[in-house]
Amino acid sequence: MVVKVSRLNPAVEVVRLEDAASGLDGVIVIHSTRLGPGAGGCRFWHYPDIAAAGADAFRLAEGMSYKNAMAGLPFGGAKAVLRRPAGDFDREALFRAFGRAVADLGGAYVTAEDVGTSVADMHHVAEETRHVAGLTVDARRAGGDPSPWTAQGVFDAMEAGAAHAFGSSLKGLTVAVQGTGNVGGELCRRLADAGAELVIADVQPERRDRLEKILGARVVDVDAIAGVEADIFAPCALGGALTPESVAAMKAKLICGGANNQLATPDVADLLVRRGIAYVPDYVANAGGIVSVTAEYLGENRAHVVARVGQIGPRVAALLEEAARRRLSPALVADQMAERIIADVERVAA
Ligand code: NAD
């Protein structure tokens, strides 16, 4: 088996993955290794062509550079995006081929789960390389499925956001959750426990119907969820939920969710400021998963993850306060903070 590896760009490393035997077809983008090896999950999804997969991988890897810096992790940003084959395929063969490509990078990239991949997939990857996390581990050690940690961080971020935007807890507030998968589903459970009202939508009916039954959530159409009558909008599906159109129709006064790359274009952040909608930047809210993944990779224990994830709420509170004081978008303020962290490391290293 030959995995073709081509480095297209010396600054941002782009590794093309192609293996006809297993159906592997995708790209790894290593956006930055200034703080350490590039860490970020592996997305396995339907893309019309490799250009679309590559563009998504670039945006996601860039987001990981900011996310890892902001979370205080000794890792740079990277991401893998694999195109899901149209017909039947051997899942183990495909993820083992991916694992060999990760091994070829010699530790410059550390992978884990993302949309469309599971703990079982990462175990196949681990047959080929040690540069993978999100594997089953015992209860004391850090690791396993990162989604519950992501959901916990998003929940804490939302609590801080609600205190800022409404001066209240989440009890009695209505939260519209777009995407009830691993992160969105876990988030819904925590929100229900906290006494929030739920409105949910998912393109896969079986995923939302389960929650409708268990949690008494109200189901709406996927096209309606962003504009539904709610206090908080929680994007937990794929990227690009916040467009000029969706923001114009939005009734919620706070946005906080697990999805990566929520802003379809950077200018939407200013639109949110103009509409008086508080926005918790995606990569600040959803860092819990990568905190768990990197702790597992470094062999740290669970207490370490609990402490690091526990910093997300206070970080969001401080960020929203600073953005309000400076009358700027929290997205811009967060980017400036993350860029400062990376620049400071560069200065020390120079
Ligand atoms: P997932 O695949 O388990 O869930 C995504 C859900 O969104 C699926 O149920 C899917 O059917 C649904 N969906 C897709 N398009 C939709 C649409 N247009 N409208 C409504 N629902 C739609 O993935 P996940 O692991 O829960 O990740 C969700 C998001 O959170 C992704 O953007 C991911 O990158 C991000 N994220 C995940 C983690 C993690 O730990 N899993 C960490 C950080 C960020």
Side-chain angles (χ1 to χ4, degrees):
M1 202 255 348
V2 180
V3 174
K4 281 191 207 158
V5 173
S6 58
R7 292 184 178 142
L8 305 178
N9 179 338
V12 173
E13 197 169 353
V14 180
V15 181
R16 176 80 168 94
L17 312 173
E18 270 180 303
D19 175 47
S22 65
L24 176 71
D25 182 19
V27 68
I28 295 171
V29 173
I30 303 176
H31 180 263
S32 163
T33 52
R34 303 244 166 83
L35 299 180
C42 171
R43 182 166 292 195
F44 188 53
W45 197 248
H46 313 275
Y47 288 89
D49 50 41
I50 193 64
D56 211 19
F58 182 86
R59 278 192 297 269
L60 290 162
E62 185 178 47
M64 292 309 300
S65 292
Y66 284 86
K67 187 189 305 195
N68 294 342
M70 186 64 119
L73 300 173
F75 286 87
K79 200 90 181 183
V81 170
L82 311 182
R83 295 177 69 204
R84 202 185 158 94
D88 286 345
F89 64 97
D90 179 340
R91 206 159 172 121
E92 175 172 356
L94 192 147
F95 280 97
R96 287 189 73 150
F98 171 61
R100 287 192 284 279
V102 173
D104 280 351
L105 292 168
Y109 170 55
V110 179
T111 197
E113 294 88 347
D114 189 60
V115 173
T117 54
S118 65
V119 175
D121 296 328
M122 292 308 125
H123 278 276
H124 294 317
V125 174
E127 294 288 327
E128 305 288 347
T129 179
R130 65 187 175 83
H131 304 299
V132 55
L135 307 169
T136 311
V137 290
D138 69 58
R140 228 167 22 86
R141 276 195 49 213
D145 177 5
S147 308
W149 293 109
T150 304
Q152 184 61 49
V154 173
F155 177 82
D156 293 352
M158 200 181 279
E159 272 193 322
H164 175 89
F166 308 111
S168 77
S169 73
L170 293 168
K171 190 166 185 201
L173 296 182
T174 300
V175 186
V177 181
Q178 178 189 51
T180 50
N182 295 326
V183 175
E186 284 280 340
L187 177 65
C188 283
R189 283 182 203 96
R190 284 166 171 76
L191 288 170
D193 285 348
E197 304 290 326
L198 293 170
V199 187
I200 58 173
D202 197 296
V203 288
Q204 298 183 64
E206 67 282 4
R207 298 196 101 165
R208 47 146 230 238
D209 291 350
R210 208 166 18 99
L211 295 175
E212 181 187 22
K213 235 179 260 151
I214 304 168
L215 305 177
R218 183 161 73 86
V219 169
V220 298
D221 198 72
V222 288
D223 296 329
I225 190 76
V228 86
E229 200 66 59
D231 301 296
I232 303 171
F233 177 53
C236 296
L238 302 184
L242 306 177
T243 63
E245 295 74 32
S246 69
V247 168
M250 198 164 289
K251 315 251 181 352
K253 285 290 169 215
L254 171 67
I255 298 171
C256 179
N260 284 309
N261 296 346
Q262 293 170 21
L263 298 168
T265 48
D267 52 307
V268 174
D270 295 327
L271 199 54
L272 289 167
V273 174
R274 286 203 292 280
R275 284 228 46 218
I277 301 173
Y279 171 59
V280 179
D282 42 20
Y283 64 79
V284 185
N286 71 15
I290 197 71
V291 164
S292 169
V293 158
T294 52
E296 176 185 336
Y297 184 68
L298 295 174
E300 293 170 340
N301 62 27
R302 203 172 176 279
H304 190 97
V305 180
V306 172
R308 270 227 161 102
V309 173
Q311 292 168 358
I312 292 175
R315 188 176 295 133
V316 167
L319 177 66
L320 292 177
E321 207 174 293
E322 181 174 341
R325 192 171 41 77
R326 294 170 63 193
R327 294 174 199 277
L328 292 173
S329 155
L332 179 66
V333 175
D335 283 359
Q336 289 173 346
M337 283 179 178
E339 282 160 12
R340 214 176 308 130
I341 291 166
I342 295 171
D344 283 351
V345 165
E346 277 176 343
R347 247 197 310 280
V348 172

